[in-house]
Amino acid sequence: MPEPTSGRDVPELLAAAQVSLNRHREVLEGLGRLFAERGHALYLVGGSVRDALLGRLGTDLDFATDARPEQMKALLAGWADALWDTGIEFGTLGVGKNGDRLELTTFRADSYDQVTRHPEVSFGDNLDDDLVRRDFTVNAMAVRIDPDRPGGIGDFLDPLGGLTALQARTLDTPAAPEVSFGDDPLRMLRAARFVSQLGFTVAPRVHRALEEMAPQLGRISVERVAAELDKLLLGADPVAGIDLMVQTGLGEVVLPEVGAMRMAIDEHHQHKDVYQHSLTVLRQAIDLEGPLGSEGGGPDLVLRWAALLHDIGKPATRKHEPDGGVSFHHHEVVGAKMARKRMRALKYSKQMIDDVSQLVYLHLRFHGYGEGRWTDSAVRRYVTDAGPLLSRLHKLVRADCTTRNKRRAARLQANYDDLEHRIAELAAKEDLARVRPDIDGNEIMQILDIPPGPQVGQAWNHLKELRLDRGPLSREEAIEELLTWWNEKGEPRV
């Protein structure tokens, strides 16, 4: 691969790319030969080239070609392990080969109406026209796939200065950012996502365009917005991406509750406002995630969303007290409702909404633990209410300690250590992960001689409350308590 430009880091970047691409040698050589024999040009493009230069290329490879969609389909039908043509009307085919997932797209020369983000699809005939329509210059580089060159790797092509931008770790647009973002406003959110994923900054002119054009994000479907937000939050530095969104006004369009926290002063962390505190909690929650590959390790989208949103109820509950202090009573209740409403608007799954909102709701409960004075009943309820979210709740509560007072921070962590120890002790004696009454619904109906109906549910709930308060009961004790409750209730059997 020849050097396209000079620069202190260029040889290292190209060497990293060579190593990355050599891992896909068999696929590149085979695919290149397939297209070359039919007289078609083929290039590795976009994020694949960028990631190869950064030494972070995975198994997803993107290609561009002058071959038309139906020509590609005919070429690939006998070579691919798997073939997906759901994007063929846009010139794209998906291919599975040797564990790699390839995406091949005919050169594009689309035009946009500057009203929707849907292009007037037009196929092009050359690489330059295809590259200039891409979102950022670091994604507008290409490598010619040449089966006659070692590893199938041909010339490196960089007509728009992408390598220089990559060296500077800067996001800039091939055309004027106003044109690029006007064509597709989702690119503005992608800028924040790349800041999170790659650790890049945006060029000054891009920053200005983000500020001026942020309202145009309203043209984008909420599903596409949510997908970008998830990728941003799962990046290496989501705090940087979130902060860019808030500072430029993008957040006001897609996640206004986060920026609104800048207006609230956190009474527990007077050195930070609630917004900065929340970003710190997000960082600290990420630090508590286990390493990738370990059990429960790797980026945790639910935990990260909960960390970001855990205090969004504070602006709505802020109250100035007579003594000059500020309170945020029940902000966890309000915040859980706000989190649920925002995530519904973004069309997240019910499970995702339930998990994030429940963590927001529970994040403050530990602060009633004090010096370990919770009863066993309170500990059981904490575990039961958290359910399968308990390990995430542990991390969220620990991450929520951002005080600069080292003594107070040590005390909070020691208290939580004690709570976890008590949970473990109880779990060794009882099945805390599945707290249920000591007799089931069928037995309740048999003992009380009642048919299925609301009374069975009431009895079951009564026994569960006893189980939470007192721990496991023997069968005889459970029956006695059930009959006592039933007799005191005094309802006729139906």
Side-chain angles (χ1 to χ4, degrees), residues 14 66 80 87 103 140 162 186 199 208 256 262 264 299 367 382 388:
L14 294 175
D66 59 350
E103 190 170 274
L186 188 65
R208 289 193 297 270
R262 289 179 298 176
H367 293 282
Y382 189 77

Side-chain angles (χ1 to χ4, degrees), residues 108-130:
R108 299 277 287 272
D110 302 338
S111 59
Y112 293 79
D113 61 11
Q114 298 281 318
V115 175
T116 69
R117 71 171 300 271
H118 303 295
E120 185 72 32
V121 176
S122 174
F123 299 134
D125 296 306
N126 65 82
L127 178 69
D128 286 351
D129 288 347
D130 182 272

Side-chain angles (χ1 to χ4, degrees), residues 242-243 245-266 272-279 308-318 328 334-335 338 342:
I242 291 292
D243 202 41
M245 285 175 48
V246 170
Q247 299 302 331
T248 58
L250 298 176
E252 183 63 29
V253 180
V254 298
L255 208 58
E257 297 84 356
V258 173
M261 289 189 289
R262 289 179 298 176
M263 301 175 61
I265 299 171
D266 189 331
K272 297 184 183 78
D273 63 16
V274 177
Y275 171 69
Q276 289 298 331
H277 163 70
S278 297
L279 296 186
L308 178 65
L309 301 181
H310 78 283
D311 272 350
I312 58 170
K314 282 191 169 179
T317 57
R318 180 174 55 177
F328 301 95
V334 173
M338 292 173 65
R342 175 52 53 193

Side-chain angles (χ1 to χ4, degrees), residues 37-263:
E37 287 175 352
R38 303 299 194 280
H40 294 299
L42 183 68
Y43 300 89
L44 188 73
V45 294
S48 297
V49 178
R50 178 202 70 217
D51 286 348
L53 288 162
L54 292 172
R56 63 192 300 273
L57 181 63
T59 57
D60 292 341
L61 304 177
D62 297 331
F63 299 87
T65 177
D66 59 350
R68 292 311 193 244
E70 292 301 333
Q71 292 174 314
M72 284 195 292
K73 191 172 182 180
L75 278 172
L76 296 165
W79 179 81
D81 296 336
L83 185 65
W84 303 275
D85 63 359
T86 52
I88 196 167
E89 65 178 303
F90 300 105
T92 298
L93 288 178
V95 169
K97 183 69 176 180
N98 294 353
D100 287 340
R101 186 178 177 98
L102 321 178
E103 190 170 274
L104 297 94
T105 303
T106 302
F107 293 148
R108 299 277 287 272
D110 302 338
S111 59
Y112 293 79
D113 61 11
Q114 298 281 318
V115 175
T116 69
R117 71 171 300 271
H118 303 295
E120 185 72 32
V121 176
S122 174
F123 299 134
D125 296 306
N126 65 82
L127 178 69
D128 286 351
D129 288 347
D130 182 272
L131 294 180
V132 78
R133 59 170 290 279
R134 293 178 179 265
D135 52 4
F136 301 103
T137 57
V138 295
N139 296 330
M141 298 177 282
V143 174
R144 187 188 302 273
I145 304 303
D146 184 346
D148 296 325
R149 301 277 287 275
I153 302 169
D155 293 339
F156 175 86
L157 304 167
D158 181 23
L160 299 164
L163 186 57
T164 299
L166 187 141
Q167 286 177 272
R169 306 187 75 78
T170 300
L171 293 172
D172 202 354
T173 50
E178 293 78 10
V179 174
S180 181
F181 297 156
D183 284 347
D184 185 358
L186 188 65
R187 291 171 174 172
M188 294 188 285
L189 206 52
R190 284 168 62 85
R193 189 242 291 186
F194 288 133
V195 165
S196 168
Q197 289 180 327
L198 305 176
F200 286 15
T201 58
V202 297
R205 68 172 189 160
V206 170
H207 198 284
R208 289 193 297 270
L210 293 176
E211 293 175 326
E212 295 169 0
M213 301 182 69
Q216 293 199 36
L217 262 182
R219 291 162 45 191
I220 306 301
S221 71
V222 293
E223 293 90 347
R224 295 298 303 277
V225 167
E228 288 297 324
L229 289 175
D230 284 352
K231 292 174 184 177
L232 185 160
L233 276 175
L234 290 172
D237 187 9
V239 167
I242 291 292
D243 202 41
L244 178 65
M245 285 175 48
V246 170
Q247 299 302 331
T248 58
L250 298 176
E252 183 63 29
V253 180
V254 298
L255 208 58
E257 297 84 356
V258 173
M261 289 189 289
R262 289 179 298 176
M263 301 175 61

Side-chain angles (χ1 to χ4, degrees), residues 380 426 429-432 435-438 466-475 477-478:
R380 289 189 195 99
L426 280 175
K429 302 174 186 176
E430 311 170 18
D431 184 6
L432 288 184
V435 174
R436 300 177 64 84
D438 300 277
L466 280 178
R467 173 71 171 77
L468 287 168
D469 283 338
R470 292 165 49 181
L473 304 177
S474 68
R475 175 176 172 80
E477 288 174 322

Side-chain angles (χ1 to χ4, degrees), residues 281 284-285 288-289 300 303 359 362-363 366 374 379 382-384 386-401 412-413 415-424 427 432:
V281 172
Q284 294 184 168
L288 293 173
E289 293 173 344
D300 186 334
L303 176 63
L359 285 170
L362 292 175
H363 85 273
F366 162 71
W374 272 11
V379 175
Y382 189 77
V383 173
T384 301
L389 298 171
L390 183 62
S391 63
R392 288 180 170 125
L393 183 59
H394 289 334
K395 294 172 185 175
L396 177 59
V397 173
R398 289 186 181 277
D400 195 24
C401 176
L412 286 170
Q413 296 297 344
N415 283 345
Y416 208 83
D417 288 343
D418 184 66
L419 174 57
E420 287 202 61
H421 179 68
R422 290 186 62 192
I423 290 171
L432 288 184

